Amino acid sequence: MKRRHLPFVLAMTICLSLIIPAFAAQTYTPSWLEKGVTLEDTPYFSDPLTAVNKDGRWGYTDRLGGLAIAPQYEYALVFSEELAAVGKDGKSGYINTAGQVAVPLQYEDASSFSEGLAAVSSAGKYGFIDKTGKEAVAPAYEQVSDFSQGLAAVKKGGKWGFVDKTGKVIVPLEYDLVTEFTQDTAIVRKNGQYALMNATVGGFADVLISSPYAKAIDWAVEKKITNGTSETTFSPDEECTTAQILTFLWRAMGEPEPEGEDPFTNVPETAY
């Protein structure tokens, strides 16, 4: 009689299920803060520390309700990318989760970090700094948004546009209203008319920058392997013919001269 063997992992799973008790029912246990410490203006818990208020000053509590950073600030934002913006004596800067000053409190205003940069203001103008406090985008704007998908909305002279992380203007400042980019798309308004602005590559409206094939298409266009189905479309979901695939390969190899005779009777000499 042929023996049957259980896989080791399956056998262990069966054994453990017989000897290890099921998890106990979930419990919900409050961790009380000390009297006088409030979360009244804090909408939700933010890991690892959450801002709390005591006698008009802001500090931070941990998950167990203990004061991790003593209330001492005029305002305190949520921790983002391991730093939090805080204000004291009319100046703003950043602290780490140990309560140590990471970026000196020297700005008129400061926002949370996003994609490695945070907006700060000096002399009434906003720019961006990195997590060491080094200036990334010079303060030159009336208003700014956080970075999203590599771009930040900025306002100057009453008009909005977008800059990248070096401060280069990517979308001209000519709009009356803009939103942050979300899933490669931002809402813009100009002269009372709205539009959806898509982040694309190669000038193709149907190739969003986050598409899995975006880099490949950008490379192929740059190398003149293909140029899309029109000036503004690439049609990435269309099927390629054998002729198109061979043409792409030929161009990628530098358009070498053919050697020998063409054995195919269905490929005329005039075909591309």
Side-chain angles (χ1 to χ4, degrees):
M1 181 177 177
K2 188 176 180 180
R3 295 185 178 181
R4 297 181 180 274
H5 297 277
L6 283 175
F8 175 77
V9 173
L10 177 59
M12 289 299 295
T13 301
I14 294 173
C15 291
L16 291 174
S17 66
L18 296 175
I19 62 176
I20 297 179
F23 285 109
Q26 286 184 324
T27 58
Y28 300 89
T29 306
S31 296
W32 296 103
L33 307 183
E34 65 178 68
K35 289 187 176 181
V37 177
T38 74
L39 291 162
E40 191 168 335
D41 295 318
T42 304
Y44 55 86
F45 178 81
S46 177
D47 195 47
L49 302 176
T50 289
V52 294
N53 188 288
K54 182 178 182 181
D55 299 327
R57 292 287 171 172
W58 289 89
Y60 292 87
T61 181
D62 59 24
R63 190 178 291 275
L64 298 179
L67 281 177
I69 299 175
Q72 58 190 289
Y73 299 106
E74 294 160 5
Y75 79 88
L77 301 185
V78 298
F79 274 89
S80 176
E81 300 182 10
E82 301 180 347
L83 297 180
V86 295
K88 194 174 185 178
D89 299 327
K91 295 294 183 181
S92 298
Y94 296 85
I95 60 172
N96 59 27
T97 54
Q100 300 166 331
V101 174
V103 178
L105 280 67
Q106 59 186 357
Y107 303 101
E108 295 172 354
D109 191 19
S111 68
S112 297
F113 274 89
S114 175
E115 298 186 3
L117 298 181
V120 294
S121 67
S122 297
K125 300 294 183 181
Y126 282 89
F128 292 87
I129 61 170
D130 65 18
K131 292 167 72 173
T132 68
K134 181 180 178 181
E135 182 180 284
V137 179
Y141 300 103
E142 300 154 10
Q143 288 179 259
V144 297
S145 73
D146 293 335
F147 271 91
S148 176
Q149 296 189 220
L151 297 178
V154 295
K155 183 181 181 182
K156 189 175 184 179
K159 297 295 182 179
W160 287 90
F162 292 88
V163 298
D164 65 13
K165 292 183 180 181
T166 69
K168 179 182 178 181
V169 175
I170 302 301
V171 177
L173 279 68
E174 60 186 27
Y175 297 96
D176 303 316
L177 176 147
V178 300
T179 67
E180 295 180 1
F181 275 90
T182 303
Q183 298 180 348
D184 296 329
T185 302
I187 298 171
V188 299
R189 188 185 72 200
K190 184 177 180 180
N191 298 328
Q193 186 173 3
Y194 285 87
L196 296 175
M197 180 173 289
N198 297 314
T200 60
V201 298
F204 301 117
D206 55 356
V207 183
L208 295 176
I209 200 167
S210 64
S211 302
Y213 40 70
K215 289 184 178 180
I217 290 175
D218 199 33
W219 172 83
V221 172
E222 181 184 356
K223 299 297 183 181
K224 301 187 184 304
I225 295 171
T226 182
N227 55 10
T229 54
S230 76
E231 291 185 359
T232 58
T233 59
F234 190 86
S235 305
D237 296 320
E238 283 190 9
E239 292 185 0
C240 286
T241 65
T242 301
Q244 288 172 323
I245 293 171
L246 291 174
T247 301
F248 296 157
L249 291 172
W250 176 65
R251 290 172 181 170
M253 294 177 67
E255 302 184 7
E257 289 296 328
E259 298 179 2
E261 295 184 0
D262 181 6
F264 302 106
T265 60
N266 62 342
V267 182
E269 291 186 3
T270 54
Y272 65 88

